[in-house]
């Protein structure tokens, strides 16, 4: 039985079966670099071309991927529970929740499909694959553009984070899907929900630092476990 309000918190693992590599786990490496060494402001200052080559590669990978059954269940949940009863919070930047049809997505870490001018701070949606020039430049002022994502060491958008915290505090149920719970502050949201009385459900093939606090653990791939769990709630 679903207890509302519900919050779903997703991480890279929900997109794994769509073909998007996760950071941690097999297939997480690009060339010989670790994501932690590329997804930083320092890496961008040092070598914007290298960082953009990595993002251009990620855009190409994701452009060839479709949402999977787990993304689609979250669309159904949004449609069946009223808006005040369902919040989707994601750490993903791939846009697959939106591609599946989710309407209200709190994107904690930004989007692979948006760019920001490093001089003026203006944001533009950009879905070109492949990119014509690397690194891309602002068409207005010629300054470097950067991926409109939150890098390690950067702060999250305050409004988005506050909305995620408020929803987590209110939640009666939080489903945590495909995250290693290694990146803060996202990883603390389930604990906040739990402290406020929410039932915590984890879907992940592997154990995580959250597992011990979960009331229910579904050890398996999201595209199998989430539809199965949702069907049980409906029945
Ligand atoms: P992560 O890479 O740290 O962890 C992925 C988790 O998913 C692991 O715990 C793994 O066991 C689990 N997993 C693997 N296959 C799964 C499956 N089929 N079903 C369910 N779970 C599965 O990812 P994270 O916790 O989201 O990490 C942090 C950072 O990685 C975030 O900042 C996010 O922006 C970024 N990231 C995003 C994407 C994306 O947008 N798709 C991809 C890679 C990394």
């Amino acid at each position: 039985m679903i207890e509302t309000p519900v919050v779903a918190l997703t991480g890279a693992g929900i997109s794994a079966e769509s073909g998007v590599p996760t950071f941690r786990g097999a297939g997480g490496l690009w060339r010989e670099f670790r994501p932690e060494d590329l997804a930083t402001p320092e890496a961008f200052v040092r070598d914007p071309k290298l960082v953009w080559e990595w993002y251009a590669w990620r855009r190409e990978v994701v452009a060839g991927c479709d949402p999977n059954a787990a993304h689609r269940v979250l669309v159904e949940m949004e449609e069946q529970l009223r808006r005040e009863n369902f919040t989707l919070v994601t750490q993903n930047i791939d846009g697959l929740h939106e591609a599946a049809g989710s309407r209200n997505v709190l994107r904690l870490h930004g989007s692979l499909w948006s760019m920001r001018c490093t001089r003026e701070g203006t944001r533009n949606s950009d879905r070109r694959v492949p990119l014509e020039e690397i690194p891309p430049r602002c068409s207005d002022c010629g300054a470097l553009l950067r991926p409109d994502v939150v890098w390690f060491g950067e702060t999250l958008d305050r409004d988005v984070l506050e909305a995620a915290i408020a929803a987590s505090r209110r939640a009666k149920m939080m489903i945590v899907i495909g995250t290693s719970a290694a990146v803060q502050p996202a990883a603390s949201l389930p604990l906040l929900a739990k402290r406020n009385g929410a039932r915590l459900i984890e879907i992940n093939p592997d154990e995580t630092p959250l597992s011990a606090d979960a009331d229910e653990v579904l050890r398996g791939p999201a595209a199998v476990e989430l539809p199965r769990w949702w069907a049980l709630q409906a029945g």
Side-chain angles (χ1 to χ4, degrees):
M1 252 280 289
I2 287 273
E3 287 177 74
T4 57
V6 178
V7 172
L9 172 67
T10 65
I14 196 170
S15 298
E17 286 150 288
S18 292
V20 185
T22 58
F23 274 5
R24 295 168 188 84
L29 291 181
W30 172 74
R31 301 190 194 160
E32 72 273 27
F33 300 98
R34 294 162 59 236
E36 291 84 345
D37 297 331
L38 290 170
T40 68
E42 294 78 19
F44 188 69
V45 168
R46 199 167 47 236
D47 195 342
K49 184 161 182 285
L50 176 71
V51 171
W52 262 116
E53 280 170 353
W54 181 52
Y55 279 93
W57 171 76
R58 294 179 70 187
R59 286 161 65 102
E60 278 176 38
V61 170
V62 174
C65 295
D66 294 315
N68 64 52
H71 296 103
R72 288 193 291 274
V73 164
L74 295 175
V75 179
E76 266 181 52
M77 288 177 78
E78 183 177 41
E79 284 167 358
Q80 290 188 23
L81 307 174
R82 287 205 311 277
R83 181 160 178 189
E84 63 272 24
N85 282 335
F86 180 73
T87 306
L88 173 55
V89 183
T90 190
Q91 298 170 83
N92 293 349
I93 60 171
D94 56 29
L96 290 182
H97 286 305
E98 292 86 344
S102 286
R103 288 157 185 269
N104 299 298
V105 187
L106 291 176
R107 283 195 304 252
L108 294 175
H109 295 159
S111 171
L112 206 45
W113 306 109
S114 175
M115 295 185 188
R116 198 160 85 222
C117 175
T118 54
R119 183 178 298 150
E120 300 161 323
T122 44
R123 298 185 146 93
N124 273 304
S125 146
D126 187 318
R127 297 205 67 100
R128 287 173 302 165
V129 169
L131 291 171
E132 282 151 23
E133 51 163 0
I134 295 182
R137 292 191 169 270
C138 176
S139 55
D140 291 333
C141 73
L144 276 180
L145 292 171
R146 59 162 281 177
D148 192 11
V149 299
V150 180
W151 281 326
F152 292 108
E154 294 186 319
T155 49
L156 278 62
D157 180 284
R158 209 182 63 188
D159 293 343
V160 174
L161 181 60
E162 276 175 7
I165 289 173
S168 303
R169 281 217 176 94
R170 271 198 321 270
K172 287 274 189 309
M173 219 179 218
M174 182 179 276
I175 315 166
V176 185
I177 308 157
T179 174
S180 60
V183 176
Q184 292 294 355
S188 62
L189 295 174
L191 300 176
L192 179 63
K194 172 98 187 171
R195 266 204 307 279
N196 283 273
R199 183 174 168 75
L200 208 58
I201 300 151
E202 177 178 69
I203 300 183
N204 198 313
D206 293 328
E207 191 168 341
T208 77
L210 273 185
S211 302
D213 290 293
D215 298 291
E216 195 178 339
V217 176
L218 304 171
R219 281 272 170 262
V224 174
E225 297 298 336
L226 185 59
R228 188 184 286 162
W229 177 86
W230 177 237
L232 283 175
Q233 311 310 306

